[in-house]
Amino acid sequence: EAQVTQNPRYLITVTGKKLTVTCSQNMNHEYMSWYRQDPGLGLRQIYYSMNVEVTDKGDVPEGYKVSRKEKRNFPLILESPSPNQTSLYFCASRSQGGGYEQYFGPGTRLTVT
Amino acid sequence: GNSVTQMEGPVTLSEEAFLTINCTYTATGYPSLFWYVQYPGEGLQLLLKATKADDKGSNKGFEATYRKETTSFHLEKGSVQVSDSAVYFCALSARGGGNEKLTFGTGTRLTIIP
């Protein structure tokens, strides 16, 4: 089954404790992206990757890092989480081909206390 | 920059009612337009899309037409069901430049009552 998976699905942590949210896709997609969803703001892009070893900032990159060492994986790293990073996070992927349809993971709900 | 404005929610309708959720956009060039749906506790699923002016996207009884002259992509369904209760997001993807990120509206929560 074609899918995007994320882990963990739920995470409660404390300020300053480094964490990583993993994302993996099995569709051989070149493009991957991270979004955060906040009430009243919709989804906003954090980082994206056009292919292996090619990453760039989205609209709200502050406080986040990413890496793309393999085509299928695109982890999101919070080096020193803060309460304003409490949010629902989605990973997405798509082919570089036409249509621009993005496939989303199930989401990771992060709470930073 | 690009932006999407969609109808504020929440929207509550009775089963079998007619649904319209308004969506307008601002973008340079000719974006692709999408409606995504988020069921409780789940990720976003593509509901329908349109890639050029006057295209009509349709799926599961939902329809939306890409109207360039009014920069709109309103979502409609003739007879809603309880199972349509979800949050609906209008989004656009501008072409070119490589990123082609999705720019989302704020979402409209729809509740259908039996």
Side-chain angles (χ1 to χ4, degrees), chain B residues 3-17:
Chain B
S3 66
V4 174
T5 302
Q6 68 179 96
M7 187 171 167
E8 293 266 342
V11 174
T12 302
L13 294 173
S14 297
E15 205 166 20
E16 299 184 2

Side-chain angles (χ1 to χ4, degrees), chain B residues 19-53:
Chain B
L19 168 71
T20 300
I21 301 178
N22 290 335
C23 172
T24 57
Y25 67 90
T26 302
T28 53
Y30 303 96
S32 294
L33 302 174
F34 306 85
W35 277 100
Y36 279 85
V37 59
Q38 184 178 30
Y39 298 104
E42 298 184 13
L44 278 74
Q45 302 174 23
L46 179 67
L47 181 59
L48 53 84
K49 68 178 183 182
T51 58
K52 61 183 187 296

Side-chain angles (χ1 to χ4, degrees), chain A residues 3 8 12-13 26 40 61-63 65 68 73 85 93 96-97 106:
Chain A
Q3 60 182 348
I12 301 174
T13 189
N26 62 2
E62 293 78 20
K65 285 175 55 178
R68 187 89 181 274
N73 296 324
Q85 293 178 297
S93 74
Q96 294 287 49

